[in-house]
Amino acid sequence: MRACIFDAKAPSGVSLGSYPTPDVSNPFLLSPGNVLVKVHAFGVNPVDAKYVIGDKFPETWMDWCARRVTGHTPGFDFSGTIVKVPKSCSFRVGDEVFGLACDPSKLMVKTLKGSFAEYTPAPINQIALKPKNLTHAQAAALPLVGTTACQAFKEHGLKAGHRVLIIGASGGVGHIAVQVASLQGAHVVAVCSGSNSEHVLQCGAKFVLDYRDGDIFEKISEECNAHGAFDIILDCVNSADSRDKEASYRSRIMAMKEITLTRGKGSDSHNYIVLGGLTKEWLQAGLLRFTGLNCFARSFELFWIKMPKARPALELLAELADRAAPGPSLVPKLNSADDFSEEAVRAAFESLRGRRTAGKIVLSIIKDIEN
């Protein structure tokens, strides 16, 4: 079978090779609690392009990160068909599923076998039946970004009628978060460029603030003064990257949190949520993830996805995608959907590192049959 591996010496840090196809007749093929999936399509995420751990360290450590993951197969998102299941499993051979191929928290103790391959093992608690309304390419765009959005909103008490501000609303996580929140009855205000505003409105945002047209912080202040503070702010832009520090959304909005964030009884105490940050903040996020101890300052939190508990979020995504017409349903935007090749993977990594990707990049191994 064809599969990619991280390779610190290769262009873009990744290479494609040929490896033995898994023997489904081998009774010892699967680890306990895993299925084997024939991959139809897989999504490419910034965390893949940053060598799984690169987003949690300073930019100057990127070469070290590339060396640390050399030999591991990249990729989390996939959609495909189950070809082998363990005993006492609710899934069956032939089921079409989507989900997350591995858990990066295991990186220190085992070689990651990710989704950039023709076959991938996947933990049972990290998969769900593929939405019927979506192609494999579309379904492969959802798992990581969709699980992130669903888990973050659930943990921070999203309710119908809540006012939600989403920064970076046209990106991979952002455009799915807009749909997840709006389909659950939230009033979404989105921040993105004017060129992407039409699509973000189609995703369900009630209003779009163009960060390229005038003072974005003045616009946010005016929105809050006119319609009230936000119950949740999801910042999909904040990270340790020097390019994000220039935007300064977090510091500027937190400086006026008296008008931008709801406070007091019934309000979430950490309702400015970011998805990236400094190494010390990732350590705090890890402490919260593994022990439940929240050491973040009031009104702020860096959210870390919980992959071993992904199935409920994946099932919610499938439910939202399969909502009956004529009402709205969840549909990911594909930035591109090229065939699986070494060149396509490298191009995807470089595009994501350039940070101007609207929607999701997906690579297809088996083409969807169009009706």
Side-chain angles (χ1 to χ4, degrees):
M1 70 169 183
R2 293 181 301 154
C4 281
I5 60 166
F6 286 118
D7 182 350
K9 296 181 179 180
S12 302
V14 66
S15 61
L16 179 66
S18 181
Y19 302 90
T21 299
D23 179 6
V24 295
S25 66
N26 180 358
F28 305 106
L29 177 66
L30 294 174
S31 300
N34 282 252
V35 299
L36 182 67
V37 177
K38 185 174 184 178
V39 178
H40 289 233
F42 60 84
V44 188
N45 294 288
V47 68
D48 304 316
K50 292 183 178 181
Y51 308 113
V52 182
I53 54 176
D55 60 332
K56 299 168 181 64
F57 291 95
E59 294 172 79
T60 53
W61 286 45
M62 204 59 65
D63 289 342
W64 176 85
C65 294
R67 294 193 299 272
R68 177 63 186 81
V69 299
T70 288
H72 295 255
T73 300
F76 299 101
D77 292 345
F78 73 87
S79 182
T81 304
I82 293 178
V83 294
K84 188 175 180 62
V85 297
K87 293 181 180 179
S88 302
C89 176
S90 60
F91 294 98
R92 298 288 180 263
V93 171
D95 282 347
E96 294 188 328
V97 295
F98 76 125
L100 298 158
C102 53
D103 179 3
S105 67
K106 303 293 193 298
L107 178 64
M108 301 302 293
V109 296
K110 63 187 297 186
T111 300
L112 298 183
K113 296 181 179 179
S115 60
F116 288 24
E118 293 180 335
Y119 292 87
T120 187
I124 293 170
N125 60 8
Q126 294 180 194
I127 63 173
L129 294 175
K130 183 185 78 70
K132 294 181 176 62
N133 285 349
L134 301 183
T135 64
H136 280 288
Q138 289 173 317
L142 279 177
L144 189 67
V145 296
T147 299
T148 298
C150 289
Q151 288 184 347
F153 285 143
K154 181 177 180 180
E155 291 192 12
H156 291 273
L158 177 70
K159 297 177 183 177
H162 270 180
R163 282 173 48 77
V164 177
L165 177 68
I166 297 177
I167 301 168
S170 63
V173 178
H175 86 288
I176 296 299
V178 170
Q179 296 182 69
V180 168
S182 63
L183 287 170
Q184 295 183 90
H187 178 104
V188 178
V189 177
V191 174
C192 66
S193 67
S195 59
N196 292 316
S197 62
E198 183 177 350
H199 174 253
V200 172
L201 288 169
Q202 291 172 351
C203 286
K206 299 298 183 184
F207 194 68
V208 171
L209 304 176
D210 182 357
Y211 69 86
R212 290 179 173 172
D213 182 19
D215 187 334
I216 185 60
F217 302 105
E218 183 177 334
K219 292 180 180 181
I220 292 171
S221 177
E222 290 173 352
E223 168 68 24
C224 292
N225 286 326
H227 302 289
F230 293 104
D231 297 284
I232 295 174
I233 296 179
L234 181 63
D235 184 343
C236 305
V237 173
N238 188 83
S239 78
D241 192 300
S242 58
R243 290 167 291 185
D244 290 330
K245 294 177 182 177
E246 296 176 3
S248 66
Y249 283 106
R250 171 181 163 186
S251 60
R252 294 286 297 276
I253 294 175
M254 290 291 286
M256 52 182 183
K257 61 184 178 183
E258 289 77 11
I259 65 167
T260 56
L261 287 165
T262 56
R263 301 162 66 84
K265 186 177 180 180
S267 298
D268 182 77
S269 57
H270 298 277
N271 49 355
Y272 190 103
I273 309 161
V274 300
L275 305 178
L278 301 173
T279 301
K280 64 178 181 180
E281 292 167 340
W282 278 110
L283 291 173
Q284 290 175 288
L287 184 66
L288 174 59
R289 180 187 183 192
F290 294 110
T291 71
L293 182 61
N294 196 327
C295 296
F296 287 109
R298 186 173 180 81
S299 300
F300 172 79
E301 184 181 302
L302 192 162
F303 177 78
W304 194 341
I305 185 176
K306 298 172 180 64
M307 289 192 184
K309 298 180 180 179
R311 191 194 285 186
L314 292 167
E315 290 175 340
L316 173 59
L317 293 168
E319 176 192 327
L320 297 176
D322 283 340
R323 285 194 173 180
S329 62
L330 178 64
V331 182
K333 176 182 179 180
L334 302 187
N335 178 277
S336 61
D338 296 324
D339 292 338
F340 179 32
S341 69
E342 188 173 68
E343 294 74 16
V345 173
R346 289 173 176 171
F349 275 18
E350 293 307 314
S351 177
L352 290 167
R353 289 165 184 165
R355 298 164 48 83
R356 283 292 177 262
T357 303
K360 284 295 300 288
I361 297 175
V362 171
L363 298 182
S364 294
I365 298 175
I366 301 174
K367 283 291 188 181
D368 287 295
I369 299 174
E370 297 181 2
N371 295 322

